[in-house]
């Protein structure tokens, strides 16, 4: 490396700031929507809750494992650096490319469209159905412009220094945490009905697939293989709702005492979100009959629950405002952290040279703007939801490779100081590798339309790496 990263970035983020980046990047719109698909796939309350608890446990194990890596290599770029140190620049580049090509940018685009969708709910003129331009099969809606405007605004704010992004992240994350806690408490105190709760838990562990045909509920029992398929579909949603916790590792150069605080932030942030997600689903089961969760209009379980608690008009507006706050804060964390990967790649000569330079406010301005440009193109493509479905496969693959790196580094780099060691090593990291690898294989089998293109995007990085090497020479 040509410069010392810790001196090039200014460490100005506290443990609270880092924790808010973890929690804020995780909570988007998924918790308000995903439970419907999980309920249909698994067919009962017990199994629906099990999928959320399993996602939380798996995420916590991964976050605790990353604590060791963050203590060893507290540098900007985080996971990219871990992969480079444990393996080689090629594996690290594949990760960085996949982050830029689809994981980080595709997630930002999808979250921005969720933001715009609910802005459109409150102001219909800005909605998805208001087309401003139609050319052949291409449609430009007001919602797409709102989504792009939010991305550009947050990018601009974050180019003016990490402190501006920090303020937005902390304020918006605290707001959405308190509003989610408020919804849970109101739901359990005001909206809960004993008869609904009891009915939902009568056959809590019955495994079945639910569908609607001509307005009639159809229940299909699950065979062993169908059960694994249902798990893959369910975990795709619950894990994605719990993802982006690793973003805090990308901004290690701007965190005070990163050797200790990144690991602490990972634990605190993922634990807070896991508790909130499980509690939210308990609240859903207390206020809504199970079939109303499974077949909520447009999968908007949060809206259905809020309408049950507060009444139709107030409930829908409450959730719309909560999702607007949630998605805006979520994207701030994703935008703030993403450009730090491209900064480190550029320092290695594997990305645009300008992305490896800091602007006068000590942030990678060019990296932020190039991330912004590609993300806006994804918004224009209208294919962001397809990209999002591919994301979780790539995410799982790189989490497995990264946590495997802990085992490799224990053997190859035993002398590197470890301010924190992976909790439950070697059992829990090995358990995570087994679960995540199994889910990735299940996605390839049962969701090939999404998993195979996701694999294709990763493999596209192979020729790009050699092109980058030639450019570097």
């Amino acid at each position: 490396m040509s410069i010392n990263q810790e001196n090039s970035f200014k460490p100005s983020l506290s443990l609270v700031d880092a924790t808010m980046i973890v929690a804020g990047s995780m909570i988007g719109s998924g918790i308000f929507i995903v439970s419907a698909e999980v309920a249909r796939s698994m067919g009962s309350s017990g199994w629906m809750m099990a999928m959320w608890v399993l996602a939380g446990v798996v995420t916590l194990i991964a976050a605790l494992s990353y604590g060791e890596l963050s203590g060893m290599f507290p540098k900007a770029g985080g996971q990219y650096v871990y992969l480079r140190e444990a393996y080689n620049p090629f594996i690290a580049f594949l990760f960085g490319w996949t982050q830029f090509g689809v994981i980080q940018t595709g997630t930002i685009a999808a979250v921005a469209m969720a933001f715009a969708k609910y802005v459109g709910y409150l102001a219909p003129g800005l909605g998805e159905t208001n087309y401003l331009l139609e050319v052949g099969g291409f449609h430009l809606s007001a919602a797409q412009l709102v989504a792009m405007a939010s991305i550009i605004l947050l990018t601009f704010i974050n180019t003016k220094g990490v402190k501006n992004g920090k303020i937005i992240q902390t304020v918006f994350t605290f707001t959405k945490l308190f509003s989610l806690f408020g919804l849970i408490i109101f739901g359990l105190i005001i909206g809960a009905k004993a008869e609904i709760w009891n009915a939902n838990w009568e056959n809590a562990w019955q495994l079945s697939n639910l569908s609607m045909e001509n307005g009639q509920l159809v229940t299909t029992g699950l065979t062993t293989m169908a059960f694994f398929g249902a798990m893959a579909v369910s975990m795709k949603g619950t894990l994605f709702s719990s993802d982006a916790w690793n973003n805090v590792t990308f901004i290690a150069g701007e965190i005070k005492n990163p050797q200790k605080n990144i690991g602490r932030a990972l634990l605190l942030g993922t634990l807070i979100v896991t508790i909130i997600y499980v509690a939210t689903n308990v609240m859903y089961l207390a206020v809504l009959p199970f079939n109303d969760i499974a077949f909520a209009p447009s999968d908007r379980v949060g809206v259905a629950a809020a309408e049950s608690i507060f009444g139709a008009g107030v409930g829908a507006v409450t959730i719309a405002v909560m999702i607007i706050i949630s998605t805006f804060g979520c994207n701030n964390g994703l935008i703030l952290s993403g450009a730090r990967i491209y900064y480190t790649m550029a320092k290695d000569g594997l990305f645009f040279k300008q992305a490896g330079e800091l602007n006068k406010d000590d942030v990678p301005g060019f990296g932020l703007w190039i991330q912004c440009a590609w993300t806006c193109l994804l918004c224009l493509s209208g294919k962001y939801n397809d990209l999002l479905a591919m994301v979780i496969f790539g995410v799982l693959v790189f989490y497995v490779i990264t946590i495997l790196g802990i085992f490799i580094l224990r053997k190859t780099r035993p002398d590197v100081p470890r301010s924190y060691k992976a909790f439950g090593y070697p059992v829990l990291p090995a358990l995570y590798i087994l679960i995540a690898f199994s889910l990735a294989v299940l996605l390839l089998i049962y969701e090939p339309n999404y998993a195979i293109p996701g694999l294709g995007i990763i493999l596209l990085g192979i020729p790009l790496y050699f092109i980058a090497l030639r450019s570097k020479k």
Side-chain angles (χ1 to χ4, degrees):
M1 291 235 172
S2 58
I3 66 172
N4 185 306
Q5 287 183 330
E6 287 78 83
N7 291 335
S8 60
F9 284 109
K10 291 187 176 174
S12 57
L13 300 174
S14 67
L15 174 60
V16 171
D17 298 326
T19 303
M20 290 302 99
I21 286 168
V22 175
S25 299
M26 288 173 75
I27 304 172
S29 58
I31 186 59
F32 303 103
I33 297 165
V34 166
S35 294
E37 184 177 48
V38 179
R40 290 193 300 272
S41 299
M42 304 308 296
S44 60
S45 302
W47 282 107
M48 183 185 95
M49 289 302 305
M51 293 301 101
W52 282 102
V53 171
L54 180 59
V57 169
V58 165
T59 300
L60 274 167
I61 292 171
L64 288 168
S65 299
Y66 269 51
E68 176 168 328
L69 296 166
S70 66
M72 293 172 71
F73 309 110
K75 298 176 180 177
Q79 191 170 345
Y80 171 86
V81 176
Y82 312 157
L83 290 166
R84 187 187 65 203
E85 298 297 330
Y87 298 95
N88 51 53
F90 170 63
I91 298 294
F93 175 85
L94 287 184
F95 168 74
W97 149 249
T98 310
Q99 283 288 125
F100 179 76
V102 66
I103 294 177
Q104 199 78 3
T105 50
T107 304
I108 294 168
V111 171
M113 285 306 300
F115 167 82
K117 187 176 186 177
Y118 283 90
V119 168
Y121 179 83
L122 297 180
L126 299 175
E128 292 176 296
T129 54
N130 181 13
Y131 291 128
L132 305 175
L133 179 68
E134 293 185 59
V135 180
F138 174 77
H139 303 283
L140 178 65
S141 68
Q144 284 169 294
L145 290 183
V146 170
M148 289 189 288
S150 71
I151 294 164
I152 293 165
L153 173 63
L154 285 169
T155 300
F156 174 75
I157 291 168
N158 279 286
T159 60
K160 296 302 175 185
V162 74
K163 286 186 179 178
N164 296 318
K166 174 181 82 171
I167 292 166
I168 288 179
Q169 194 64 25
T170 303
V171 169
F172 274 79
T173 302
F174 269 120
T175 303
K176 65 182 166 185
L177 288 175
F178 283 123
S179 59
L180 265 168
F181 272 125
L183 183 67
I184 292 162
I185 291 163
F186 273 111
L188 295 176
I189 293 174
I190 299 172
K193 297 179 180 67
E195 63 274 18
I196 289 177
W197 176 262
N198 292 335
N200 283 341
W201 288 96
E202 270 180 15
N203 298 301
W205 300 101
Q206 181 179 319
L207 268 173
S208 57
N209 180 267
L210 305 181
S211 59
M212 279 285 180
E213 292 182 15
N214 302 319
Q216 296 294 312
L217 176 66
V218 177
T219 305
T220 309
L222 297 179
T223 61
T224 303
M225 289 311 293
F227 166 68
F228 286 124
M231 264 193 78
V233 171
S234 300
M235 291 296 287
K236 177 190 71 182
T238 55
L239 278 176
F240 190 81
S241 300
S242 306
D243 194 40
W245 50 267
N246 63 326
N247 274 242
V248 75
T249 70
F250 306 153
I251 54 166
E254 290 144 290
I255 294 174
K256 298 171 185 173
N257 190 11
Q259 288 90 341
K260 290 190 176 353
N261 280 342
I262 294 176
R264 290 168 180 165
L266 284 166
L267 169 61
L268 290 171
T270 52
L271 185 60
I272 289 166
V273 173
T274 297
I275 291 168
I276 286 177
Y277 280 5
V278 171
T280 301
N281 280 279
V282 169
M283 181 271 291
Y284 289 159
L285 290 169
V287 302
L288 292 172
F290 188 77
N291 288 347
D292 288 1
I293 297 173
F295 298 101
S298 303
D299 285 357
R300 293 176 187 170
V301 184
V303 172
E307 287 179 342
S308 174
I309 299 164
F310 303 115
V314 177
V317 170
T318 300
I319 291 295
V321 171
M322 283 178 67
I323 292 179
I324 287 168
I325 292 168
S326 184
T327 48
F328 193 78
C330 177
N331 255 355
N332 182 69
L334 295 171
I335 288 167
L336 182 155
S337 53
R340 275 64 176 174
I341 306 170
Y342 322 135
Y343 169 88
T344 309
M345 290 173 72
K347 286 291 171 196
D348 289 348
L350 297 173
F351 201 68
F352 299 106
K353 185 181 176 184
Q354 300 97 310
E357 297 168 3
L358 302 184
N359 66 15
K360 61 183 176 62
D361 295 302
D362 299 310
V363 293
F366 182 85
L368 281 162
W369 283 119
I370 197 167
Q371 174 182 261
C372 173
W374 179 241
T375 305
C376 286
L377 280 173
L378 294 181
C379 287
L380 280 177
S381 74
K383 299 294 182 187
Y384 38 85
N385 282 332
D386 293 343
L387 286 167
L388 197 55
M390 298 174 202
V391 163
I392 197 63
F393 178 80
V395 164
L396 286 170
V397 167
F398 284 110
Y399 282 164
V400 166
I401 295 170
T402 305
I403 291 178
L404 193 59
I406 297 172
F407 293 84
I408 293 169
L409 288 164
R410 287 274 182 116
K411 294 278 189 271
T412 60
R413 309 278 288 276
D415 301 328
V416 176
R418 289 164 169 82
S419 56
Y420 172 90
K421 290 194 174 180
F423 180 73
Y425 179 90
V427 176
L428 290 183
L431 181 64
Y432 178 86
I433 290 169
L434 178 66
I435 293 171
F437 180 75
S438 300
L439 281 170
V441 172
L442 287 172
L443 285 172
L444 274 174
I445 297 168
Y446 292 101
E447 296 273 291
N449 292 346
Y450 299 128
I452 290 173
L455 179 61
I457 287 168
I458 296 171
L459 296 178
L460 181 59
I462 296 173
L464 290 175
Y465 174 73
F466 292 103
I467 291 169
L469 278 185
R470 286 182 64 186
S471 301
K472 182 179 176 182
K473 288 174 184 174

